[in-house]
Amino acid sequence: MAAALWSLVLLGALCGLGRAMSREEKSKLRNQVVEMFDHAYQNYMDHAYPADELMPLTCRGRVRGLEPSRGDVDDALGKFSLTLIDTLDTLVLLNKTTEFDVAVRRVLTDVRLDNDIVVSVFETNIRVLGGLLGGHSMAVMLRDGGQHMQWYQDELLHMAKDLGLRLLPAFNTSSGLPYPRVNLKFGVRGPETRTGIETDTCTACAGTMILEFAALSRFTGDPVFEAHARRALDFLWEKRQRHSNLVGTTINIHSGEWVRRDSGVGAGIDSYYEYLLKAYILLGDDLFLQRFNIHYASIMKYISQPPLLLDVHIHKPLLPARTWMDALLAFFPGLQVLKGDIRPAIETHEMLYQVTKKHNFLPEAFTTDFRVHWAQHPLRPEFAESTYFLYKATGDPYYLEAGRTILDNLNRFARVPCGFAAMKDVRTGSHEDRMDSFFLAEMFKYLFLLFADAEDLTFDVEDYIFTTEAHLLPLSLSTAPHSSSIPSNRTSKEELDDSNFDWTCPNTRLLFPDPAFPRKLRDPIRSAVDKSCPRPPPYREPGMGHPPLRAQDFMANNPEHLELLRRMGVSLIHLKDGRVQLVQHATQAVSAVAAEDGVRFMQEMMELSSQQQKEQLPPRAIQIVSHPFFGRVVLTAGPAQFGLDLSKSSTGVRGFATVAEPYSGCSEITNAEYVRGHIALLQRGQCMFAEKARHIQKAGAIGGIVIDDNEGSSSDTAPLFQMAGDGRSTDDIPMPLLFLFYKEGNILLEALKEYREVEVLLSDKARDRATIFKGKPLPGSVTEGCVDEPGTEEDCLTEATTPTSFEPIGQSQASTSEPDQLTQSQQDVSSVEQDTSPAEEAQLLEDEDEEEDDGEDDGEDEDDGDGEDDGDAASPGEDGTDAHLAPPRGERDSEDREEPAGDSDSGGQQVDELLADWREDLEAFQQMEKDEL
């Protein structure tokens, strides 16, 4: 099954896209790859062997302890001729069987694995154990072919088992997660080990063992290795954040607590996801595919913002954790090809390709506007890996040209007399005296395969799977003998919802009936990345000093403004949280003058954004005061930059909630008789916030609440923002308008559905219950002979729950307060978002008659721009139905009369359950905030 899956994935589906590369060109480039490999490999053997790595600038070997320490990077070095072992199966792939024979004999003769040295468990596993197993696989394949390696008697496998046993002590923890380091001679216990005191490890470090360890178990018949690797994966799965289904970057190996809660697909996590999918392909265990599918859905929901892949917080997955990306995520498009999700793979790869062409290499980290964040480039192969897989999936010769670019840049900028040197700074072209073993293990494999035809290979590569270090393990291991009693925590039916996922990767011939499809995806992304260095400001004619569009006038829904932006080289990127990012590229402008106008526009926009951040209003509160809530439930709401400023109102605005029709509020309200004198509920989307406010105000509403249409959004995972105007004066809107995310809005809608009348208080902060029920019996207190007992509460609270017992603040009263005079918000040009306080979670107020704190809700954010309410269409619920909306009062009355008598008790029980859930959530978020601080 796994072999069939692998074959389907690697079908080259498309032909004739653009100018096909001739066989002669491909052959020339393939030979160039071999020549470059020879240059690197021979210099290692001549100048560095038996040292672990080559220092190409000084033409000598890097021996640990003899060179200045580079910190954790040196943990990959174990005095075991790392580069030679890491290169074994590359020799076979490049048809160098004679050199492979010599290299294997040297490994068996010269390499010792019992050195008194502390090494990285992760690096030793993927490079050395993986290298030995890959070499063994190739040796067996050649031996079985009857022409080469006839002397081989599984010696590399014996060495691999010896090394596996030396790594096993690292797994001696209560969690099953391995220590990050181990002493090859003494293990992890005892003073002579000089290790074993670490408490933290990265997720990838613990979760990238299953391929090598399972292969070792199945090659040798000893299940202990696979069992330990599975246990580590099981523990990581159990510790995932259950709301987001994401994992953090660093975890405590003893307690299982997340030390770093940022989550992405790059450094620290990358190969954990890779190994879940590849373990399914290699071992045929559905468990791994189930888990990968669940993780992948969350990655695409929270981390993927095509073409970007941005880290987020696992507890607040709608909050970006950083504004830059690291180079290791370049492997992800290749993994998406294996998954069968080609479209985002094409998009992200194109972004990476344009960054590569801009800087010659992929910087170790780069910002969301594609500038250098960390300038190093240690000759990483991940971009070449994704290029190869995309070519195999699409057959598009465009990826052959991308491979040619990689070759040219390596030869032009990294090649030195003694090999290839890592780039110390891609901006200056300076070198670092370093050539990591993965350069020979991975880079030349993927580039050779990119330009090779089937007849150029001595074996069928589709019978193997690549590890994260590109070592080749045979798919036949899925049928190899292994213990069926290996314990594993199975994924429960409740946890698994993989109805949206195929169990085999699709044939790409069916995916792309249009041969131009990949190009259509790439073109918009290419225009979004500046492909050249910024040019000096051009000469400007007199009288041309003012840009045609000023930042304070810009409207994102104005087609004329968008056309002016295009002419100035400014493009818009819509983010998933509703905001937009503006990026300016001088080379995309129609003229040098227009480019300078664009620069000035961006400067104005950044200044305006900075000014508005200082002017931001604090969050507002929506308090449900009717039966059975009585002020105990407070929903955190975002303010508007127009209408009544609730901070200047001592009483707030109080009234009964009703759903406006149409729900979008984007046209004249048709149920004005129900909206009049009430607080109208509206759905985000389709028109401007101010337009919604004017429509419900015309219908007689005393306030409005806009509810997000993005299913799953919540103030505990996304920053609040301010609703802005529509570019016109908003002095004609005296009533308040507040914004609720989907989760909090659904609480209000469910309450409205469950109970006949729901009264809410809109205010600047939660009010204590004594103030809310001033002059009235406090619900739950002993008044006039009534006690708070079952059976008597209904009678005691009749007055407090009758709609006419409180006088809602009318429209005339609301208009007496000064409207907010803040300037309307423009597009948020900053990609930096502010964190939110857990106090923004729905709060439960205590029954005691005492003043409540303000909640310190300091996590507001700007709105998504110019006031355009650009939410997506309403999302259906999990059962396929839309979110429940309360009908007009008359319809609700008729429905209520038909309900069974027992419904009120069940409703009360549901409320109690809701309150318990909210308390639990609030405690969890308070603890999370303490952890983050």
Side-chain angles (χ1 to χ4, degrees), residues 299-585:
I299 291 170
M300 299 310 292
K301 181 177 182 181
Y302 299 119
I303 295 172
S304 176
Q305 298 184 17
L308 309 180
L309 291 165
L310 295 176
D311 285 18
V312 299
H313 298 280
I314 60 174
H315 291 91
K316 300 179 181 180
L318 296 179
L319 286 180
R322 60 174 65 154
T323 59
W324 48 270
M325 295 166 279
D326 66 76
L328 284 170
L329 61 76
F331 90 101
F332 197 67
L335 188 66
Q336 290 179 306
V337 170
L338 296 188
K339 173 69 177 70
D341 198 3
I342 310 296
R343 181 189 183 105
I346 292 173
E347 294 173 333
T348 298
H349 179 275
E350 180 61 22
M351 178 269 293
L352 296 170
Y353 186 28
Q354 296 304 321
V355 173
T356 297
K357 292 204 289 187
K358 178 178 180 179
H359 302 293
N360 298 321
F361 297 98
L362 201 60
E364 195 70 342
F366 52 94
T367 62
T368 54
D369 59 351
F370 317 115
R371 298 181 183 276
V372 172
H373 184 70
W374 294 337
Q376 305 95 326
H377 174 72
L379 307 181
R380 292 199 183 278
E382 285 77 16
F383 178 67
E385 174 185 359
S386 289
T387 302
Y388 161 68
F389 281 113
L390 272 168
Y391 176 66
K392 293 296 290 184
T394 66
D396 190 343
Y398 179 83
Y399 297 108
L400 297 177
E401 294 300 330
R404 189 203 301 268
T405 299
I406 297 172
L407 288 182
D408 290 345
N409 288 341
L410 284 173
N411 277 322
R412 290 175 58 199
F413 303 109
R415 186 164 183 151
V416 293
C418 287
F420 290 85
M423 306 304 296
K424 187 175 183 179
D425 193 319
V426 298
R427 296 165 298 190
T428 63
S430 58
H431 290 119
E432 187 176 354
D433 200 5
R434 168 184 181 184
M435 190 180 81
D436 290 84
S437 67
F438 54 68
F439 182 61
L440 288 163
E442 301 183 68
M443 180 70 82
F444 295 110
K445 274 198 188 83
Y446 292 124
L447 290 177
F448 182 83
L449 287 170
L450 179 64
F451 299 115
D453 295 319
E455 56 268 24
D456 299 317
L457 302 174
T458 57
F459 63 96
D460 189 352
V461 73
E462 293 183 12
D463 290 336
Y464 296 81
I465 191 170
F466 290 109
T467 69
T468 194
E469 191 76 3
H471 292 306
L472 292 159
L473 298 178
L475 292 174
S476 58
L477 288 174
S478 62
T479 60
H482 65 283
S483 173
S484 59
S485 61
I486 294 174
S488 182
N489 296 331
R490 309 302 297 185
T491 305
S492 69
K493 294 292 185 182
E494 291 74 15
E495 292 173 337
L496 175 62
D497 178 15
D498 62 348
S499 57
N500 294 323
F501 298 104
D502 294 329
W503 285 81
T504 59
C505 294
N507 187 327
T508 50
R509 293 183 185 274
L510 303 179
L511 280 179
F512 305 124
D514 178 9
F517 179 79
R519 177 174 54 80
K520 291 177 180 178
L521 293 180
R522 290 192 296 261
D523 287 347
I525 297 169
R526 184 180 299 114
S527 65
V529 181
D530 186 6
K531 295 183 287 293
S532 63
C533 297
R535 293 176 292 184
Y539 172 74
R540 176 179 287 275
E541 294 292 335
M544 299 290 290
H546 296 288
L549 177 65
R550 306 304 298 266
Q552 62 264 30
D553 300 326
F554 172 65
M555 301 292 295
N557 65 331
N558 187 320
E560 294 180 1
H561 289 184
L562 296 178
E563 174 61 20
L564 288 173
L565 288 190
R566 185 194 67 78
R567 294 179 63 83
M568 294 189 293
V570 179
S571 57
L572 275 73
I573 299 176
H574 290 270
L575 304 180
K576 282 188 174 181
D577 58 6
R579 298 178 305 124
V580 300
Q581 186 180 46
L582 298 178
V583 183
Q584 200 264 347
H585 310 293

Side-chain angles (χ1 to χ4, degrees), residues 99-111:
E99 290 88 340
F100 174 72
D101 188 302
V102 173
V104 172
R105 293 179 186 273
R106 286 199 173 189
V107 169
L108 299 179
T109 303
D110 300 340
V111 174

Side-chain angles (χ1 to χ4, degrees), residues 703-719:
I705 300 173
V706 178
I707 298 175
D708 195 9
D709 63 343
N710 182 17
E711 185 174 358
S713 67
S714 171
S715 63
D716 55 69
T717 57

Side-chain angles (χ1 to χ4, degrees), residues 150-162:
Q150 297 302 300
W151 59 267
Y152 182 70
Q153 298 295 323
D154 298 343
E155 289 88 349
L156 291 177
L157 179 60
H158 300 324
M159 288 186 68
K161 184 173 182 179
D162 179 24

